[in-house]
Amino acid sequence: MILRSRRIWQFGVLVTSLFLVSRPNLAQTEVLNPVKVFYGYEDLLRMAEDKIIQETPAKAFDFLIKAKEINPDPDYRYYNLAARAHMKLGQVFDGIHAYEESIKKKKDQLDLILFIADFYEKERKQKEALFYTKLYLEQKPNAKYRLYTAAILSRQLGLESDYESYIQILESDKTFVSEKDALQASLLKNIKGKKWKEADDLSLRYLVYFPREEAMYETLILARRGRESELLEQAYQWTSTIFLNDTRYFTRYGVFLQEKQRYLEALTLFRRGFYNLLKFYPDSDAGEILFLIRQSYANLGKDRDTLAIDSLVKDFQNQNKLTTTELENHQNTYRKNREYLLFCIHWFSKRDTTKANEYRQKLKDRDLEFEESEFLRVMGVFSALPQDL
């Protein structure tokens, strides 16, 4: 009897213990992640960085994902690591966007701000480049080169008041005004002696003190061309921007692009030069700029436009003797040619306002039609500026 009771008691203990052990396992719905258990946020960031250093950036994201699960609102270091991983993988824009998130978290990363600004400037995204340049200037308001960059970008975006404000800040520093003549003599000496690097460095150093001094840009272009610098195009862009209403520098920049066989971009520069000529120097000889436009069309295989320029040259030379009927007949023959439409606006604006407005509309319609094929809204650093009379 005692033996039977003992067996019943043992069975009861066994059932109870099984129930107590099994119950938590039945209630458990989530499998523990060993990475979360053994590593914290800081550990995971370090492990991600190790993978980047070891040239296995794809694996870094495994740890960054876990880090963000632990900390859904990660700090700037997380985004910097993500950016570095993207960059190593060749995902440049993803990397830049990660860096931008990092800046939002910590705005005093000045080197990073400049890196982003320079990247966007090279990509011809002036709006974004100006944003980060201004962000830098908020913290370093006396940085002359960045003040100059802000001026250039502002003018390329059509922000004339901002441009003038930055230029005036630069010109207000009279530190080297008394040395201006000696500086020019030194620059010319370097150019004559073919000391291209010295001339380049000297021009760049003092350009920010004399931002509207034409000779500074001349020596900068000569020096960079002499040393075959990859920054020569930047010098042409700066010069064309500062002397925005001039025709010569757009012509020279366009010829440079022709040398690089970038014919469509060259055409946009020559078109800008022709626009400047009609708007600011209407009594000038348009022969050279129209010849270059014609050459661009020929290089691009646009035979119809090439013939249009041949006709336009004659009409430009004889514009005081032209009749309305003659001009409209010629334009109708080459009705899609941009230069003819621009010339018609110019010609009629002095004679028939209604007609001039009709051609303005035709020009808008024409540009809308050719917007994609000619990259009219994205080609070149001056694409944001108007080019209709």
Side-chain angles (χ1 to χ4, degrees), residues 41-42 45 64 74-82 102 105:
Y41 178 74
E42 297 291 336
L45 290 188
L64 290 173
D75 64 5
Y76 75 99
R77 296 172 301 162
Y78 166 88
Y79 290 105
N80 283 347
L81 288 170
S102 174
K105 295 288 184 177

Side-chain angles (χ1 to χ4, degrees), residues 14-28:
L14 176 61
V15 171
T16 303
S17 62
L18 285 172
F19 177 78
L20 291 174
V21 170
S22 301
R23 189 173 182 181
N25 290 335
L26 291 172
Q28 186 175 332

Side-chain angles (χ1 to χ4, degrees), residues 103 107-110 112-118 120-121 125-167 169:
I103 295 297
K107 292 186 177 181
D108 62 351
Q109 300 179 83
L110 297 181
L112 186 53
I113 291 172
L114 291 183
F115 176 80
I116 297 171
D118 290 343
Y120 278 128
E121 187 178 1
K125 294 181 179 291
Q126 292 101 314
K127 186 176 180 180
E128 291 82 353
L130 181 59
F131 174 84
Y132 284 100
T133 300
K134 285 183 173 181
L135 184 60
Y136 182 84
L137 288 170
E138 287 176 6
Q139 300 172 75
K140 293 284 185 178
N142 297 319
K144 292 189 180 297
Y145 181 78
R146 294 300 160 173
L147 285 166
Y148 179 80
T149 304
I152 292 292
L153 293 169
S154 295
R155 182 162 241 200
Q156 290 172 354
L157 289 167
L159 306 173
E160 281 294 306
S161 59
D162 289 353
Y163 160 78
E164 193 63 36
S165 175
Y166 288 122
I167 289 292
I169 292 172

Side-chain angles (χ1 to χ4, degrees), residues 175-286:
T175 303
F176 297 102
V177 169
S178 61
E179 302 175 30
K180 181 179 174 182
D181 292 339
L183 174 61
Q184 294 285 10
S186 179
L187 282 168
L188 289 174
K189 183 178 179 181
N190 284 324
I191 293 294
K192 289 179 180 179
K194 297 184 178 181
K195 295 181 178 179
W196 309 122
K197 184 180 185 306
E198 291 83 349
D200 189 345
D201 292 344
L202 202 61
S203 296
L204 191 60
R205 179 182 176 186
Y206 292 103
L207 189 66
V208 294
Y209 294 96
F210 306 100
R212 286 190 270 213
E213 188 65 36
E214 193 169 2
M216 288 286 180
Y217 295 88
E218 292 285 353
T219 54
L220 183 64
I221 289 172
L222 288 171
R224 289 186 173 177
R225 182 173 279 277
R227 68 187 299 197
E228 298 180 352
S229 171
E230 62 180 15
L231 296 176
L232 176 57
E233 185 171 358
Q234 181 191 64
Y236 280 120
Q237 289 178 0
W238 287 354
T239 309
S240 300
T241 302
I242 293 293
F243 305 104
L244 189 63
N245 297 336
D246 207 322
T247 298
R248 293 172 300 147
Y249 292 111
F250 283 96
T251 300
R252 290 172 65 180
Y253 184 13
V255 169
F256 165 79
L257 293 177
Q258 270 194 338
E259 292 172 357
K260 302 294 182 181
Q261 297 184 352
R262 292 159 59 183
Y263 299 124
L264 187 54
E265 291 176 85
L267 176 61
T268 66
L269 271 296
F270 296 142
R271 281 176 167 174
R272 184 82 201 177
F274 184 60
Y275 164 78
N276 280 356
L277 185 141
L278 293 178
K279 187 172 181 66
F280 303 109
Y281 312 101
D283 297 325
S284 301
D285 180 11

